[in-house]
Amino acid sequence: MARFILCLFFCGIFANENDEILKRMEIYEKKLDTEIQKRSVIENEVAELRQWKRNIEQVFQGKSRNQRLLLESIPDKTGVAFSAYISASFEAPPFGVRHTFIYDHVECNVGNGYENSTGIFRPSVPGTYAFTWTVCASGAKNSEIGVELVINNKVHGSIYVDSETTNEEHCSTGFVVHTIKLRDVVYTRSQDAYHEGTIRSDHYSRTTFSGWLLF
């Protein structure tokens, strides 16, 4: 009888331990299932990210750094220059004072900043520019002519040519370096003084206006 009682006692202990082990196994199995599900979700997200990365690389293939980062495009500062001249000589007195010179024949207009219909240069790129202009006076009769460079209605340079000796041709050239911004306007005009004679511009002497971006 004593042995039977002991057997029942130990069998009960073993049964309790077995139940506890089974419960723990169930808990671990549930945790394992949860971890497997989490891993599956992560693997799907990684696959989606890799596909997104490939799509982005295709969209921005060949794009510059500014384009990839969606930054404002910086204009190329090496491509602005213009040069033009007046195609025919004309009398100075009727031209008047503070009258804009229109250099109608364009030889170079990189950046399309110069307007041959108005004589005005409008920069497509801000920066420091060099400007030069030349005015020629005919020696067929006395000629006195002054021309100034104007930036936004302010004079930044002025030249004067005087051809008082008959049959002597005279030209004068001005040169200005100035930093300008977008929407600035640059042009040349007759000075605020009386002019006489002929402004010459032909295949012997050219009255010209030029400019180019330095940096």
Side-chain angles (χ1 to χ4, degrees):
M1 177 63 87
R3 290 180 180 178
F4 178 73
I5 293 173
L6 288 174
C7 181
L8 290 175
F9 176 75
F10 285 112
C11 286
I13 292 176
F14 291 143
N16 291 334
E17 289 182 352
N18 188 45
D19 290 341
E20 185 67 24
I21 291 172
L22 290 175
K23 289 179 180 180
R24 289 182 181 179
M25 289 181 63
E26 290 177 357
I27 292 172
Y28 290 144
E29 286 178 351
K30 289 180 179 180
K31 288 183 178 181
L32 180 60
D33 290 339
T34 301
E35 294 300 323
I36 291 174
Q37 292 176 359
K38 288 182 179 180
R39 179 177 177 180
S40 177
V41 170
I42 292 173
E43 289 177 345
N44 291 334
E45 290 179 349
V46 170
E48 290 177 358
L49 288 173
R50 286 175 177 170
Q51 183 60 46
W52 180 82
K53 179 176 178 292
R54 286 192 292 269
N55 294 339
I56 292 296
E57 288 175 345
Q58 291 177 356
V59 170
F60 289 104
Q61 186 175 6
K63 302 290 185 180
S64 66
R65 177 180 179 275
N66 287 332
Q67 291 172 324
R68 292 196 306 272
L69 298 180
L70 302 180
L71 300 177
E72 181 180 358
S73 179
I74 299 175
D76 181 7
K77 288 197 171 185
T78 62
V80 181
F82 74 94
S83 182
Y85 65 82
I86 297 174
S87 59
S89 303
F90 58 94
E91 296 301 308
F95 190 66
V97 300
R98 292 189 176 182
H99 194 102
T100 302
F101 277 68
I102 298 178
Y103 305 83
D104 57 308
H105 188 92
V106 178
E107 292 193 317
C108 173
N109 196 14
V110 179
N112 297 316
Y114 177 73
E115 301 171 357
N116 68 336
S117 60
T118 63
I120 293 175
F121 171 72
R122 305 176 191 273
S124 58
V125 175
T128 301
Y129 284 77
F131 297 100
T132 182
W133 69 108
T134 296
V135 59
C136 296
S138 174
K141 54 185 177 180
N142 295 344
S143 298
E144 295 183 27
I145 302 152
V147 181
E148 54 197 16
L149 179 79
V150 180
I151 303 175
N152 296 333
N153 294 320
K154 183 177 180 180
V155 176
H156 288 270
S158 187
I159 59 175
Y160 192 81
V161 59
D162 186 353
S163 177
E164 293 187 347
T165 303
T166 303
N167 297 325
E168 283 192 7
E169 308 296 327
H170 292 273
C171 295
S172 181
T173 297
F175 187 81
V176 167
V177 174
H178 193 77
T179 299
I180 57 177
K181 305 181 295 295
L182 294 176
R183 294 181 293 277
D184 285 350
V185 293
V186 185
Y187 56 96
T188 65
R189 71 184 183 189
S190 55
Q191 293 177 355
D192 188 11
Y194 175 75
H195 306 286
E196 62 180 4
T198 301
I199 297 173
R200 182 168 183 176
S201 192
D202 53 29
H203 60 285
Y204 293 110
S205 299
R206 295 289 190 197
T207 295
T208 64
F209 181 33
S210 302
W212 61 94
L213 179 66
L214 296 174
F215 51 86

